[in-house]
């Protein structure tokens, strides 16, 4: 079952379970659509996998199958391994 992580790893924006702008890779690394499309160009910076829209868990299933509360945030931001880190990031 997907963890449904609550935030974007790059910009830390909240991504609630019903968010249509959440993107994940096969390892469930989680990003917002803006970071995934703009900075990462659809590729996970952690594993190199494809970022796709995260499915929405039906609201009636959330009580027995709650989303994760664990926030993963990488202060260095959205940097692909082949990209140099931006100044001040």
């Amino acid at each position: 079952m997907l963890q449904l992580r609550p935030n974007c790893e790059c910009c830390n924006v909240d991504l609630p379970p019903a968010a249509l702008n959440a993107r994940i890779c096969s390892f469930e690394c989680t990003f917002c659509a803006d970071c995934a499309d703009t900075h990462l160009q659809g590729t996970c910076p952690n594993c190199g996998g494809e970022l796709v829209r995260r499915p929405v868990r039906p609201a009636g299933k959330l009580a027995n199958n709650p989303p994760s509360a664990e926030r993963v945030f990488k202060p260095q931001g959205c940097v692909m391994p082949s990209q140099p880190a931006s100044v001040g990031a």
Side-chain angles (χ1 to χ4, degrees):
M1 178 178 353
L2 293 175
Q3 289 182 344
L4 300 181
R5 294 179 185 163
N7 66 305
C8 174
E9 290 186 23
C10 289
C11 69
N12 206 30
V13 69
D14 289 337
L15 295 170
L20 297 177
N21 66 329
R23 303 291 182 263
I24 61 171
C25 71
S26 64
F27 289 97
E28 298 183 52
C29 301
T30 304
F31 304 94
C32 68
D34 183 51
C35 288
D37 297 341
T38 305
H39 303 290
L40 303 174
Q41 299 174 342
T43 303
C44 178
N46 302 319
C47 70
E50 177 185 16
L51 293 172
V52 298
R53 190 176 77 78
R54 182 180 74 188
V56 173
R57 185 168 298 155
K61 302 290 184 183
L62 289 172
N64 291 330
N65 303 284
S68 174
E70 178 186 356
R71 296 181 78 87
V72 176
F73 177 56
K74 299 182 177 174
Q76 69 273 21
C78 297
V79 179
M80 291 297 293
S82 62
Q83 295 175 334
S86 61
V87 176

